[in-house]
Amino acid sequence: MVSTGKSIAPSFSFLKQLEDKSGQPVSRCYQCKKCTGGCPMSFAMDFNPNQVVRLVQLGQQERLLKSRTIWVCACCKTCADRCPNGIDISAVNDALKDMAAEQNVALGDTMVPAFHESFLASIQRHGRIYEAGMLLGFKLKTKAYTQDMGLGIEFVKKGKLKFLPEKISQVKEIKQIFEKAKAKEGSR
Amino acid sequence: MKYTYYPGCSLHSTAEEYNASSKQVLEKLGIQLEELKDWNCCGATSAHSTSDYLAHALPLRNLVLAEKQDNDVLVPCAACYNLLKTAEHHMRCGGEGSEELNLDMQEIMGAQYQGNIAVRHVVDVFAQEEISAKIAGLLAKPLAGLKVVPYYGCLLTRPAKVVSFEDNAEQPQTLDRLLGVLGAENIRWSHKTECCGGSFSISQPDLVLTLTKKLVDAAQYAGADAIVTACPLCQANLDTRQHEAGGGPGTKVPVFYITELIGLAIGAGRSGDWLKKHLIDPVPLLRSLNLLAAS
Ligand code: SF4
Ligand code: SF4
């Protein structure tokens, strides 16, 4: 993390809000950095896991919502199982991702959110993942057409990609679940 | 012994060999399966990255359906297992919003989750003394000389309190013990529970490339000729990202599903059909050790 040299005024309201939303006792962190030591993704992060926690404590909302870290956290839960204070940083990151999407900030990564969107769209439509359709949706969103072309061809040769979706009979139940999820988000 | 079988989406597409080998091995072990009727996708990483509600509700629909079929749910996919287990835990422990969620299920499906059935992973079942003994009794072709590292990854072990069936989730042993039963050479290594990048295989292939390289290097450094896993994400990442077509370095360490190794050892099912699905062909290694079933 680059120091700006400027002093920052901590905001406790953001800390409170994030603790409520994520269910994580962020205030307890004493910066032992055990989380960062075991984090497989720290090499690709702009803020290390311990820094995420510190920035939450200091109310640095904007820096967090625009960070790449929250998107490249693999949710591997290594930090959660090792933190002496029982803090699950992936849950903190999930809450931050949710806020970033809600507040329409410039996202610190575009590929991961595009993937999640295509993935969920596939579930909503069929009740199951239809890989070929999901991949097409992802490519259209990200324009990364050539990425993994060779691999796609191998998969087709091996019969690992199906060309027809499997659809469950009660897709309407899945649609209702999605509607409820949306309503819950609106009411927060 | 009878279970309700939840394959999940991967086992119906990219991980078909895991589906086939699981079913054929379980059948040979005398474990009856009935597929969960009208199962839906568990939501995977995308659901819980996006919405707490979806992360619990999508797996919960499957649990409500499973209760109608009366038996515990058996899951080979580590990711599905993790999500279904997490939903089960959420409901049983009365997590935030769980009562409301159950009422929503009543409204949507006309039934609630009662907590009468449990979610089990196949490795947990294979590791039971009774089943391990059965595997040992059926051993037709012990995997002598096969040097293999057991790779557990994240989803079978973490969060330990919710999903793990190990005594110590940081030092898991169930796959190690199974390899011992199969007569394989179980190699100790440093990366048993490290992450492979999971669901980033499509959205962030470069990150997965970095992680899989570390894993394959560690396996080779330890002296292994193969890796064994119980997760379709781990298998896919390791199998595709060391292959040139996946942008990998071209190393050729085969990555097996545990059910494939059990199947080879006890002579269950049609192993040739599973093995030909791999990008890194495991046949040369198996042939060099004389471990292929004569067919
Ligand atoms: S392991 Fe826990 S206490 Fe230690 S720095 Fe990380 S979040 Fe803070
Ligand atoms: S859950 Fe995220 S932050 Fe925690 S160790 Fe894994 S990748 Fe790092």
Side-chain angles (χ1 to χ4, degrees), chain B residues 181-205:
Chain B
V181 171
L182 300 178
E185 221 176 293
N186 169 33
I187 306 277
R188 290 170 64 119
W189 69 316
S190 48
H191 281 53
K192 272 184 169 181
T193 64
E194 289 293 310
C195 178
C196 71
S199 70
F200 288 145
S201 54
I202 294 161
S203 58
Q204 298 286 352

Side-chain angles (χ1 to χ4, degrees), chain A residues 8-13 57-60:
Chain A
I8 41 180
S11 143
F12 296 108
S13 61
Q57 289 178 338
L58 294 172
Q60 295 295 295

